[in-house]
Amino acid sequence: MLVPASKEQIRKHFREKRAQLSPGEQAALNAGLVQQLQQAVQEPLSCILSFCSLQAWGEPDAISLTLVLQEKFPAAVVAYPKIYDLKGHMEAIVPAPGTGMIPGNWNIPEPAAGAILDPEKIDLVLVPLLAFDLQGQRVGYGKGYYDRFLQRCRPDTIKLGISFFDPVNRIEDTGHFDVPLSRCITPGRLYEF
């Protein structure tokens, strides 16, 4: 999909592409993402916002990527998103020891308990997406949680998208509230914006 397209067209196209991937294809793509992550993040990190992937949605395996980051930066604090209401309020939560994850809004795993992490302290955000373009704009799931949260982070916070697929040429209906990615990894390449 190299022609400019709307977010809704892109969302539909990439949901279908993900649904067509076999478990073996997903495993190979996830292995490629792990390799690309090694070169994507060289700066020291003290705070990371990850997320729990939903297999039912065919998302890339963010937990494997998080484990790689924890191995590389063992002192880093890792937080996970928690959605507080359906209007778009999201916070980064550092899970309390021994509490695990529970299904939250949209059935996405969230910390069962923990402390809110100030967005200003976050050095790297792993950003879920369906697609991205050559300018670093992304198409998420359409609720705006991440865009609102990323606006609260420092300007130098690394916003790292994770995609199984190469970028589209241009997303035609981005808005002033959309926060572009700093970088994006695919199984075959690191993109920097």
Side-chain angles (χ1 to χ4, degrees):
M1 181 177 266
L2 292 176
V3 298
S6 72
K7 288 181 182 180
E8 202 48 50
Q9 291 169 315
I10 292 169
R11 215 172 261 124
K12 181 179 186 303
H13 176 77
F14 282 94
R15 278 189 169 135
E16 289 170 1
K17 277 186 80 163
R18 273 191 190 170
Q20 294 170 2
L21 294 172
S22 71
E25 289 170 322
Q26 283 187 1
L29 293 170
N30 279 315
L33 289 170
V34 167
Q35 287 182 326
Q36 292 303 318
L37 182 66
Q38 302 291 348
Q39 70 176 12
V41 181
Q42 300 297 324
E43 312 73 351
L45 302 177
S46 60
C47 291
I48 300 165
L49 177 63
S50 184
F51 66 94
C52 292
S53 306
L54 286 174
Q55 284 189 328
W57 293 3
E59 289 186 316
D61 183 2
I63 297 302
S64 291
L65 298 174
T66 304
L67 292 173
V68 169
L69 290 170
Q70 287 179 301
E71 187 175 303
K72 191 170 183 176
F73 308 104
V77 171
V78 178
Y80 294 88
K82 180 173 178 67
I83 296 169
Y84 282 91
D85 60 52
L86 298 181
K87 294 178 184 172
H89 184 72
M90 183 177 101
E91 293 289 354
I93 305 295
V94 179
T99 58
M101 303 294 223
I102 58 171
N105 291 313
W106 309 110
N107 226 13
I108 298 169
E110 299 177 341
I116 294 176
L117 181 64
D118 180 352
E120 288 274 325
K121 294 184 177 180
I122 300 172
D123 301 311
L124 171 75
V125 178
L126 295 181
V127 184
L129 53 84
L130 282 159
F132 69 105
D133 71 12
L134 294 169
Q135 293 73 43
Q137 296 293 335
R138 63 181 265 282
V139 174
Y141 296 99
K143 303 298 180 194
Y145 293 107
Y146 272 84
D147 287 312
R148 281 187 281 280
F149 183 83
L150 292 171
Q151 290 170 357
R152 297 167 49 209
C153 294
R154 298 187 321 263
D156 67 333
T157 296
I158 301 164
K159 295 164 283 296
L160 180 65
I162 305 164
S163 179
F164 281 150
F165 308 110
D166 290 331
V168 298
N169 185 41
R170 186 171 61 83
I171 300 164
E172 67 183 19
D173 55 347
T174 58
H176 69 280
F177 53 85
D178 291 330
V179 177
L181 301 168
S182 312
R183 304 171 192 162
C184 192
I185 55 172
T186 67
R189 183 171 167 194
L190 163 65
Y191 292 84
E192 297 189 69
F193 309 106

